[in-house]
């Protein structure tokens, strides 16, 4: 140990120790199992070298047996780290079995045969073999992820392999090969080990940083995709609203004509009363009140239609489900009346508050109520019961009709795009409603009333409740 | 019967006409029934409002081709039904069905249909018997007057 003395060995060890620690610190926040194994492996290499450098000072089994075991563990840790990166980790029990087998062969060569040349050659071949495999794994990752950092890890381990092979060649000519023996091959080998430690760990940091960049990129792409699908979802919902209102145009026209008729009639009656002198001021003022009331009634319907048809970015605000049902019931009153369907809804005094987009939630209610009205056309009893209550952090809107209920296949397939039981239906209403419910963190459930209770369909909209008070 | 407004008839002729009979208004929108009943009152005619075909059919009596009804709660007088103004889109029996029933009972009863529906939608309910005026809501009361009043006796 003249040119490669203990101090040099310790320095190498120190550096080897330092670099896994540096890697560990730099990769804070993204310490995956791979990073732990890679840095841990590096640490074990350092420990191995300390143990080897202590040869002659400590009992022989420490540098021979323990160091071998630890060295083997370090190889497997780093190989496993790279294999995990490739998504093909080795099984743990196979690793343990391999470590044990190699260790026992080594022990047998040393203590059994006492053939130190063969032991050293076996040791070197195993080490070179593992490092070669490590280099190919790193190269593989480098190609797969187009990472020059991984390729540099491969190159530097390739160098170690070359130096190791040269050393095996030189040592094989000697009688008593010594790991800490002086000579060009040892110095080259040590240098390559040092280089591999430095480049290996820096390269690994580079690889990890490449990955995190890529992860960010992928996350950004996914975010953009989610946003796009959200935007598309809003557009589809908007188209569905327009379609619904289009189909309801006749009954909405009727709904508008009623208050307009009242306005016109009252105005003419007032005029007649004024001219004939039959009406006094109080009566005239009451006619005017009627006109005002009915004009507001008409304008409220127009307001609902406009709200409903306006394309709007989805909003998240406190919404009272009771109010939604009342507004939608107003929109659909004409449809219900023309089909002679009675909609029963007695909202409680307490608001049932959820967080969401009032128009989209109205859309769900409108879709359900329209479906229910259409389901009732053949029924003798035509009623829709709407209840709305909250409890246990959930708001539940329940719409029950007295129609024939869902067919079994409809229960299974309702909500699948383009599945419909209506002769001229599109099969999108429920899909859109389900999607809106999901977007609001809720769900839509379909079921049938027990035949004993008169039959009919039940649709339940279950949403998380909002604690915020309406402004 | 609508009691919300009581216009004071100042012409004796109107008073006399009011005792002759009743015009029925069948519409499920109380705003419209109310306004129409006031208009009839201004013309010296008594009217009664019904929200469905069934409620009108329950109120009338059919005696040898003549339809009569009670003048209202608290009034024991039985008055002839002079005519009816009715909507098509009603809960229960539709206006068209009601018209057919009334025609069956009293072929000469003056009837006027009023509806907010367009013609092609109205056809879903079937055609009214011949010779019945169909007013499109909102309509001019002059048109109702022209359609109904010449038939009233």
């Amino acid at each position: 140990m003249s040119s490669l003395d203990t101090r040099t060995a310790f320095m190498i060890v120190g550096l080897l120790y330092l670099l896994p620690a540096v890697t560990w610190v730099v990769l804070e926040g993204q310490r995956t199992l791979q990073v732990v194994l890679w840095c841990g492996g590096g640490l074990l290499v350092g420990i191995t070298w300390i143990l080897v450098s202590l040869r002659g000072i400590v009992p022989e089994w420490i540098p021979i047996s323990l160091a071998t075991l630890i060295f083997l563990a370090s190889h497997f840790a780093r190989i496993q780290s790279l294999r995990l990166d490739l998504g093909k980790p080795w099984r743990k029990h196979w690793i343990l079995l391999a470590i044990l087998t190699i260790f026992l062969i080594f022990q047998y060569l040393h203590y059994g045969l006492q053939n130190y040349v063969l032991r050293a050659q076996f040791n070197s071949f195993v080490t070179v073999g593992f490092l070669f495999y490590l280099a190919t794994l790193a190269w593989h990752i480098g190609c797969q992820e187009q990472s020059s950092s991984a390729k540099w890890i491969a190159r530097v381990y390739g160098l170690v392999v070359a130096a190791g092979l040269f050393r095996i060649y030189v040592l094989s000519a000697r009688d008593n090969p010594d790991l800490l023996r002086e000579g060009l091959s040892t110095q080259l080998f040590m240098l390559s080990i040092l280089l591999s430690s430095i480049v290996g760990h820096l390269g690994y940091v580079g690889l990890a940083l490449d990955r995190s960049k890529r992860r960010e990129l992928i996350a950004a792409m996914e975010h953009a995709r989610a946003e796009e699908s959200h935007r598309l979802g809003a557009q589809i919902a908007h188209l569905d609203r327009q379609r619904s209102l289009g189909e309801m145009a006749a009954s909405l026209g009727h709904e508008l004509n009623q208050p307009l008729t009242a306005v016109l009639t009252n105005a003419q009656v007032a005029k007649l009363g004024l001219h004939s002198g039959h009406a006094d001021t109080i009566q005239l003022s009451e006619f005017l009140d009627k006109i005002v009331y009915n004009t507001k009634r008409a304008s409220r319907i127009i307001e609902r239609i406009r709200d409903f048809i306006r394309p709007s970015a989805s909003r998240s605000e406190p919404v009272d489900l009771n109010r939604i049902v009342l507004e939608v019931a107003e929109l659909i009153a004409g449809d219900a009346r023309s089909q002679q369907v009675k909609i029963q809804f007695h909202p409680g005094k307490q608001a049932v508050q959820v967080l969401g987009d009032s128009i989209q939630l109205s859309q769900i209610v409108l879709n359900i109520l329209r479906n229910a009205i259409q389901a009732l056309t053949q029924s003798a009893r035509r009623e829709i019961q709407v209840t709305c209550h909250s409890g246990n952090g959930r708001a539940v809107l329940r719409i029950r009709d007295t129609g024939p209920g869902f067919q079994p296949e409809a229960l299974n397939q309702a909500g699948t795009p383009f599945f419909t039981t209506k002769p001229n239906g599109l099969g999108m209403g429920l899909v859109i409603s389900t999607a809106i419910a999901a977007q609001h963190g809720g769900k839509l459930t379909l079921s049938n009333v027990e035949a004993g209770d008169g039959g009919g369909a039940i649709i339940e909209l279950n949403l998380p409740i909002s604690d915020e008070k309406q402004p | 019967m609508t009691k919300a407004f009581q216009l004071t008839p100042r012409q004796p002729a109107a008073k006399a006409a009011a005792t002759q009979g009743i015009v029925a208004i069948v519409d499920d929108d109380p705003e419209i029934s109310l306004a129409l009943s006031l208009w009839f009152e201004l013309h010296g005619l008594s009217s009664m409002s019904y929200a469905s075909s069934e409620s009108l059919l329950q109120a009338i009596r059919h005696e040898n081709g003549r339809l009569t009804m009670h003048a209202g709660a608290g009034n024991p007088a039985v008055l002839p039904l002079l005519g009816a103004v009715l909507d098509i889109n009603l809960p229960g029996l539709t206006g068209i069905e009601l018209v057919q029933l009334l025609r069956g009972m009293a072929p000469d009863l003056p009837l006027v249909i009023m509806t907010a529906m367009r013609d092609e939608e109205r056809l879903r309910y079937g055609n009214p018997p011949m010779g019945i005026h169909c007013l499109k809501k909102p309509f001019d009361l002059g048109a109702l007057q022209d359609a109904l009043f010449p038939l009233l006796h």
Side-chain angles (χ1 to χ4, degrees):
Chain A
M1 276 213 237
S2 56
S3 70
L4 189 75
D5 59 10
T6 325
R7 270 201 307 260
T8 317
F10 268 111
M11 190 194 74
I12 292 168
V13 165
L15 280 167
L16 289 173
Y17 256 128
L18 201 61
L19 284 161
V22 169
T23 309
W24 180 256
V25 170
V26 170
L27 294 184
E28 194 212 350
Q30 34 187 318
R31 286 179 194 146
T32 53
L33 180 59
Q34 285 97 305
V35 174
V36 172
L37 285 172
W38 186 263
C39 294
L43 200 69
L44 292 179
V45 174
I47 294 171
T48 310
W49 288 106
I50 292 180
L51 297 179
V52 171
S53 71
L54 290 176
R55 188 188 288 183
I57 304 167
V58 293
E60 197 201 35
W61 68 267
I62 293 179
I64 298 295
S65 307
L66 189 62
T68 306
L69 207 57
I70 294 174
F71 205 39
L72 284 171
S74 81
H75 292 319
F76 276 102
R78 289 190 293 175
I79 286 172
Q80 184 75 342
S81 166
L82 295 189
R83 286 198 70 99
L84 275 168
D85 279 343
L86 286 168
K88 293 180 282 192
W90 276 336
R91 294 252 176 114
K92 281 187 202 116
H93 53 265
W94 287 121
I95 293 175
L96 288 176
L97 195 67
I99 292 178
L100 203 64
T101 312
I102 298 168
F103 177 69
L104 287 178
I105 293 172
F106 186 84
Q107 296 297 300
Y108 174 68
L109 292 175
H110 187 81
Y111 294 106
L113 292 182
Q114 303 208 329
N115 186 339
Y116 303 133
V117 178
L118 198 61
R119 188 261 294 157
Q121 278 174 346
F122 175 71
N123 193 22
S124 302
F125 269 116
V126 167
T127 307
V128 165
F130 277 132
L131 293 180
F132 180 73
Y133 185 58
L134 201 66
T136 59
L137 284 179
W139 190 260
H140 208 75
I141 291 174
C143 292
Q144 192 172 304
E145 298 188 15
Q146 294 179 333
S147 155
S148 57
S149 305
K151 285 186 180 170
W152 274 108
I153 297 177
R155 285 191 194 106
V156 80
Y157 278 103
L159 190 69
V160 178
V161 168
L165 286 174
F166 178 56
R167 199 168 121 84
I168 290 170
Y169 165 72
V170 173
L171 289 185
S172 64
R174 304 204 181 160
D175 301 336
N176 185 14
D178 186 343
L179 202 60
L180 295 180
R181 191 124 175 188
E182 64 197 274
L184 182 64
S185 72
T186 307
Q187 286 169 1
L188 265 179
F189 187 60
M190 282 325 218
L191 190 68
S192 68
I193 293 270
L194 193 62
L195 259 179
S196 76
S197 173
I198 297 167
V199 177
H201 283 100
L202 291 183
Y204 196 80
V205 171
L207 183 63
L209 293 181
D210 278 357
R211 283 213 185 103
S212 77
K213 268 279 164 305
R214 199 171 11 247
R215 264 201 301 275
E216 274 169 33
L217 206 68
I218 289 171
M221 268 165 61
E222 272 168 5
H223 183 72
R225 205 171 299 145
E227 206 135 86
E228 177 68 12
S229 78
H230 191 76
R231 202 172 57 77
L232 269 177
Q235 274 177 5
I236 291 172
H238 177 227
L239 284 174
D240 178 62
R241 288 201 294 276
Q242 287 182 331
R243 194 181 56 84
S244 300
L245 284 200
E247 288 174 4
M248 289 162 67
S251 65
L252 287 173
H254 182 259
E255 280 310 284
L256 267 176
N257 266 335
Q258 291 292 106
L260 290 181
T261 306
V263 168
L264 192 57
T265 311
N266 275 301
Q268 291 177 88
V269 173
K271 196 176 161 194
L272 187 66
L274 200 61
H275 284 305
S276 66
H278 282 311
D280 58 31
T281 348
I282 299 169
Q283 284 162 345
L284 285 174
S285 128
E286 278 175 286
F287 287 131
L288 293 178
D289 282 346
K290 288 276 158 198
I291 291 171
V292 169
Y293 169 78
N294 282 290
T295 311
K296 284 184 177 166
R297 196 174 136 203
S299 88
R300 207 168 56 229
I301 295 168
I302 293 172
E303 192 70 21
R304 297 263 169 285
I305 297 172
R306 209 177 49 189
D307 274 353
F308 212 67
I309 221 147
R310 184 180 56 203
S312 64
S314 52
R315 278 178 291 187
S316 189
E317 59 203 356
V319 178
D320 178 10
L321 280 183
N322 282 333
R323 195 175 55 85
I324 296 260
V325 175
L326 287 174
E327 285 179 6
V328 172
E330 215 165 54
L331 261 183
I332 209 156
D335 260 8
R337 195 175 25 232
S338 76
Q339 302 295 335
Q340 286 148 32
V341 171
K342 207 164 155 191
I343 299 179
Q344 293 179 330
F345 178 55
H346 309 289
K349 286 212 168 59
Q350 197 82 31
V352 177
Q353 204 99 290
V354 298
L355 210 58
D357 186 294
S358 56
I359 300 296
Q360 291 188 2
L361 292 174
S362 305
Q363 191 169 4
I364 299 185
V365 178
L366 183 77
N367 278 338
I368 299 175
L369 287 178
R370 290 191 66 215
N371 279 342
I373 289 173
Q374 282 167 16
L376 286 168
T377 45
Q378 304 299 323
S379 302
R381 191 169 151 225
R382 300 181 186 179
E383 276 175 36
I384 299 173
Q385 292 148 16
V386 185
T387 56
C388 188
H389 61 266
S390 57
N392 289 334
R394 307 295 292 185
V396 180
L397 177 69
R398 200 159 176 273
I399 297 176
R400 175 191 166 163
D401 66 44
T402 53
F406 295 109
Q407 297 293 314
E409 92 253 24
L411 268 185
N412 289 331
Q413 286 190 64
T416 329
F418 306 118
F419 174 82
T420 179
T421 52
K422 292 176 225 156
N424 51 2
L426 252 186
M428 288 306 285
L430 210 52
V431 182
I432 290 162
S433 299
T434 309
I436 294 173
Q439 248 175 37
H440 283 78
K443 61 175 194 248
L444 208 60
T445 353
L446 276 58
S447 58
N448 279 329
V449 184
E450 295 291 321
D453 290 337
I458 301 177
I459 296 192
E460 241 180 47
L461 173 64
N462 188 309
L463 292 169
I465 207 161
S466 148
D467 296 328
E468 279 180 57
K469 289 280 158 279
Q470 198 140 14
Chain B
M1 177 140 190
T2 312
K3 302 260 181 194
F5 292 83
Q6 288 293 338
L7 292 181
T8 343
R10 289 177 194 168
Q11 293 170 335
K15 181 99 182 167
T19 54
Q20 284 168 10
I22 291 169
V23 178
I25 305 166
V26 190
D27 196 310
D28 58 344
D29 189 336
E31 291 293 319
I32 290 172
S33 308
L34 179 58
L36 284 177
S37 71
L38 292 171
W39 178 73
F40 280 121
E41 215 164 324
L42 278 175
H43 283 281
L45 287 165
S46 292
S47 66
M48 289 188 80
S49 302
Y50 301 91
S52 69
S53 307
E54 286 84 347
S55 55
L56 171 65
L57 290 172
Q58 264 176 4
I60 54 178
R61 282 189 209 160
H62 182 201
E63 283 160 15
N64 5 309
R66 271 170 48 89
L67 298 176
T68 55
M69 55 172 43
H70 273 290
N75 187 345
V78 174
L79 296 173
L81 179 65
L82 296 179
V85 183
L86 38 96
D87 194 10
I88 291 182
N89 193 351
L90 293 166
L93 282 181
T94 68
I96 300 288
E97 289 165 323
L98 177 62
V99 162
Q100 284 158 351
L101 284 171
L102 291 174
R103 265 289 143 98
M105 291 187 267
D108 295 330
L109 188 72
L111 296 170
V112 173
I113 290 175
M114 50 183 185
T115 177
M117 285 184 284
R118 283 174 299 152
D119 293 348
E120 60 265 35
E121 297 164 49
R122 209 189 65 210
L123 285 178
R124 279 195 301 149
Y125 293 84
N127 275 315
M130 294 291 282
I132 292 185
H133 275 283
C134 201
L135 298 176
K136 170 85 181 66
K137 282 183 188 174
F139 52 85
D140 198 287
L141 288 174
L144 177 60
Q145 191 171 352
D146 292 346
L148 189 67
F149 284 14
L151 307 174
L152 297 178
H153 306 293

